Amino acid sequence: MIDLHCHLDLYPNPKDIVSECERRKLYILSVTTTPSAWRETSKLANGSKRIRTALGLHPQLAKERSGELPLFDALLKETQYVGEIGLDGSPEFQSFWNIQVRVFEHILKKCTDDGGKIMSIHSRRASKEVLELLEKYPSSGIPILHWFSGTVRDLEKAIDLDCWFSVGPAMLRGEKGRNLLKRIPKNRIITETDGPFTSIEEKTLMPWDVEIALASIEQIWGRTSGEAKELIRHNFENLISKNSL
Ligand code: MN
């Protein structure tokens, strides 16, 4: 199984989580929210063939952490994976919208200069603006829209821009997320949890809870058990084959 967007470093007991993921042979993209967290978070994956650590600067932290952009630039050559990055148009983050745009655009430009990265992207209430910037930087890499929640029109644009989509249990619980899933090409979908930020019935999601998303996907697609897992595994291999590392 694959969790393409989780925050291993933010669980209270990350080492135990890593051991359990190893035991279950889970593939993980461990995203970070600040450049200064990347080095230590990468160490969590030491020795694990199936965990990669993405270098990120979360849009909600853009104001507080924009001073870490030089560190972001310095670390970028060490990884093929970037995230969590993007824009957040929710009211509580509007006051520093311009800083968010500056940070996201800076990152897309650097990814372009470094030959393109696999990017895990946050676009809450900002899918239109995120897509405009991805369109402006077409060589920034492979964008994976994490927990996409935009309009159908934006989804269609994202598909045209060759975006991928990581979908999780929380997204697929709501009618909106389920309807979006139906419109995403089956060969561009990968599972995620966004743990530990997400929970179901007050239980924090663990990376292996991608199983819950797989069951929802099979139900929405009308497939039998195991089919989504196999297809997503195939998608994942396709995605990483595009990667030079
Ligand atoms: Mn996240």
Side-chain angles (χ1 to χ4, degrees):
M1 291 189 298
I2 301 133
D3 185 351
L4 208 69
H5 182 112
C6 69
H7 301 262
L8 281 184
D9 60 331
L10 302 180
Y11 282 97
N13 49 345
K15 287 194 175 135
D16 296 344
I17 306 277
V18 168
S19 309
E20 184 59 20
C21 291
E22 276 287 285
R23 197 182 69 76
R24 293 174 183 250
K25 298 187 164 49
L26 227 78
Y27 288 85
I28 301 225
L29 184 62
S30 160
V31 297
T32 55
T33 56
T34 66
S36 53
W38 186 76
R39 186 76 69 196
E40 282 302 307
T41 306
S42 299
K43 286 184 190 158
L44 282 175
N46 268 356
S48 169
K49 299 190 297 282
R50 300 183 195 87
I51 304 178
R52 292 290 179 272
T53 308
L55 173 65
L57 204 165
H58 199 291
Q60 294 172 358
L61 300 174
K63 184 179 179 194
E64 203 179 302
R65 301 298 185 123
S66 62
E68 291 187 27
L69 280 177
L71 179 61
F72 181 95
D73 300 348
L75 294 172
L76 188 61
K77 283 203 181 328
E78 296 189 35
T79 179
Q80 277 300 107
Y81 298 88
V82 165
E84 180 164 1
I85 57 168
L87 298 173
D88 192 313
S90 308
E92 60 268 47
F93 309 112
Q94 279 287 350
S95 64
F96 55 91
W97 174 258
N98 292 342
I99 303 176
Q100 291 189 47
V101 171
R102 183 170 64 77
V103 166
F104 185 42
E105 198 161 0
H106 174 100
I107 291 172
L108 292 175
K109 190 172 181 307
K110 290 291 170 180
C111 290
T112 304
D113 294 345
D114 209 36
K117 304 288 177 178
I118 291 180
M119 305 178 290
S120 186
I121 301 176
H122 176 111
S123 58
R124 189 165 69 150
R125 295 203 187 189
S127 50
K128 184 171 166 280
E129 294 85 353
V130 162
L131 295 171
E132 281 166 7
L133 284 174
L134 290 175
E135 199 168 21
K136 189 170 167 187
Y137 295 94
S139 305
S140 53
I142 303 172
I144 304 158
L145 299 176
H146 125 76
W147 196 338
F148 182 82
S149 58
T151 62
V152 168
R153 179 183 288 218
D154 288 342
L155 178 72
E156 282 165 0
K157 179 170 176 179
I159 294 166
D160 287 343
L161 289 173
D162 289 334
C163 291
W164 288 60
F165 300 85
S166 57
V167 305
M171 170 177 170
L172 298 175
R173 265 168 87 84
E175 197 58 36
K176 183 176 178 183
R178 297 169 74 85
N179 281 331
L180 288 169
L181 180 85
K182 289 178 194 160
R183 295 173 178 268
I184 301 175
K186 291 187 172 64
N187 63 355
R188 300 245 202 106
I189 293 177
I190 297 193
T191 41
E192 66 159 47
T193 61
D194 202 14
F197 287 126
T198 48
S199 55
I200 281 189
E201 279 141 22
E202 291 175 27
K203 195 179 156 286
T204 301
L205 290 182
M206 299 299 184
W208 46 92
D209 287 325
V210 289
E211 231 165 44
I212 303 170
L214 287 171
S216 300
I217 293 168
E218 277 159 359
Q219 193 232 339
I220 296 162
W221 285 353
R223 299 293 184 99
T224 54
S225 179
E227 280 188 289
K229 189 174 174 179
E230 198 174 313
L231 185 62
I232 283 165
R233 169 74 192 222
H234 181 80
N235 291 347
F236 176 67
E237 281 167 7
N238 186 13
L239 177 75
I240 56 175
S241 73
K242 298 175 189 295
N243 184 348
S244 57
L245 279 187

